[in-house]
Amino acid sequence: MAVCVAVIAKENYPLYIRSTPTENELKFHYMVHTSLDVVDEKVSAMGKALVDQRELYLGLLYPTEDYKVYGYVTNSKVKFVMVVDSSNTALRDNEIRSMFRKLHNSYTDVMCNPFYNPGDRIQSSGNLGISLSCRAFDTMVTSMMIQVC
Amino acid sequence: MADAVLFEFLHTEMVAELWAQGPDPGPGGRKMNLSVLEGMGFRVGQALGERLPQETLAFREELDVLRFLCRDLWVAVFQKQMDGQRTHHQGTYVLQDSSFPLLVPMASGLQYLEEAPKFLAFTCGLLRGTLSTLGIESSVTASTAALPTCKFQVVIQQP
């Protein structure tokens, strides 16, 4: 379903970025990078608008002709960006919301892993011993991407 | 209701263990033990700062974050809310707890006043860690006038 999933730290560097068609990865990296500006815009608009609805889910950030980009910010200013295929019209808003919720839960699990230093890239490295929650994060993201046909 | 006590016992053992290494290591060693405790609290605070606000809405300003500390964080860790929160001037907050659960079993009054900092170091780190995840760099110090009342002073670093 998702074509690319990225987790970006509050200092705006990527903690985790993965895309399914592994050629053209750079294109997705650029897309995620440009979406960060839109995220910042939405977050500052939310701050000034005095709207009571201070949600974590940001919704559709911007649509391109092939892809749609969705965003979500946590309270710790960590951003999740998800790129989905435009042709996949069956994906509804609450499905995207539930995907982000799963991402948030897995990210929190990684954070609580004592072997994970906050600020490091999320990867299970071979020599330091596989960290369970980083691998679980990986598997969860794979399950979100696997239905791409 | 036994849950509250579990953490208290663990905390007491942590402090006892760190001090058992050197019975009276002198001012240099003492500082290191305190900063080890504070460091532990910091890492725990970082993880809590990610997990606790998960369902809540986005925080809009500093005061929201402080309120979250006094209510939700304190309730989650100590099963009670913090009693008082005061702002002294730009960027300094004093959080007061009149019966701090980690100090309650020790004494009530002026006895053991010198031992109190050891038991407050972890909590200082906890506050600092949670604030750091929520985007606020700060330094937290604790002081007791009489057990079990204690005050945590949070000084927010201005960028």
Side-chain angles (χ1 to χ4, degrees):
Chain A
M1 300 188 189
V3 172
C4 169
V5 172
V7 177
I8 292 142
K10 77 168 110 112
E11 292 90 2
N12 284 338
Y13 63 87
L15 288 174
Y16 181 88
I17 179 162
R18 203 160 127 218
S19 40
T20 17
T22 37
E23 70 285 337
N24 267 344
E25 232 185 314
L26 206 55
K27 177 179 73 176
F28 290 118
H29 284 227
Y30 278 145
M31 227 188 265
V32 170
H33 189 81
T34 49
S35 66
L36 287 180
D37 279 329
V38 188
V39 171
D40 278 337
E41 220 180 274
K42 290 220 172 200
V43 168
S44 54
M46 217 164 49
K48 291 184 199 125
L50 288 179
V51 180
D52 229 14
Q53 181 222 20
R54 309 163 286 163
E55 272 210 21
L56 301 178
Y57 174 67
L58 298 174
L60 182 65
L61 295 178
Y62 68 89
T64 63
E65 51 184 44
D66 293 321
Y67 301 104
K68 290 200 265 223
V69 184
Y70 292 90
Y72 180 100
V73 190
T74 66
N75 267 316
S76 49
K77 301 289 168 279
V78 168
K79 305 153 188 90
F80 300 133
V81 176
M82 200 181 317
V83 182
V84 293
D85 217 314
S86 264
S87 54
N88 198 340
T89 45
L91 264 182
R92 278 166 310 139
D93 202 49
N94 36 350
E95 284 177 21
I96 308 266
R97 275 180 203 257
S98 70
M99 277 160 62
F100 272 128
R101 209 172 307 132
K102 278 195 283 187
L103 248 183
H104 195 171
N105 284 332
S106 302
Y107 174 72
T108 316
D109 285 338
V110 170
M111 202 42 172
C112 297
N113 183 350
F115 299 112
Y116 171 73
N117 291 318
D120 287 351
R121 301 209 56 170
I122 302 177
Q123 56 197 15
S124 27
S125 55
N127 27 342
L128 294 178
I130 314 283
S131 32
L132 273 175
S133 48
C134 296
R135 231 217 237 133
F137 190 80
D138 240 353
T139 352
M140 197 228 52
V141 172
T142 320
S143 68
M144 286 204 309
M145 299 171 116
I146 210 143
Q147 270 105 342
V148 174
C149 22
Chain B
M1 284 331 279
D3 310 327
V5 167
L6 292 176
F7 175 62
E8 282 175 33
F9 285 161
L10 182 65
H11 181 258
T12 317
E13 281 310 303
M14 264 178 6
V15 178
E17 188 57 36
L18 277 174
W19 253 259
Q21 312 275 329
D24 208 2
R30 237 188 114 211
K31 276 236 173 69
M32 204 185 70
N33 288 347
L34 282 177
S35 57
V36 166
L37 271 175
E38 216 254 352
M40 283 200 238
F42 183 75
R43 182 65 183 92
V44 174
Q46 280 185 313
L48 271 181
E50 195 64 56
R51 199 178 271 288
L52 285 182
Q54 215 173 337
E55 298 304 315
T56 60
L57 301 170
F59 296 132
R60 234 182 296 139
E61 28 162 70
E62 237 167 54
L63 212 51
D64 277 342
V65 179
L66 264 299
R67 223 170 283 145
F68 164 77
L69 283 188
C70 295
R71 292 194 210 137
D72 304 309
L73 181 71
W74 232 240
V75 166
V77 184
F78 302 115
Q79 283 79 36
K80 67 184 276 279
Q81 284 191 12
M82 188 132 33
D83 301 320
Q85 172 198 327
R86 235 166 289 130
T87 314
H88 271 183
H89 46 88
Q90 296 288 80
T92 309
Y93 298 89
V94 177
L95 310 172
Q96 174 164 333
D97 195 335
S98 56
S99 65
F100 188 51
L102 296 178
L103 292 180
V104 162
M106 283 202 290
S108 164
L110 298 173
Q111 195 186 17
Y112 296 129
L113 208 53
E114 324 80 53
E115 314 286 334
K118 298 183 212 165
F119 290 88
L120 297 171
F122 181 85
T123 320
C124 290
L126 187 74
L127 285 168
R128 192 167 68 92
T130 316
L131 282 170
S132 148
T133 322
L134 295 172
I136 301 178
E137 290 305 319
S138 58
S139 74
V140 182
T141 47
S143 61
T144 4
L147 272 61
T149 313
C150 66
K151 292 203 183 112
F152 295 96
Q153 191 180 42
V154 180
V155 179
I156 303 207
Q157 325 268 2
Q158 304 299 347

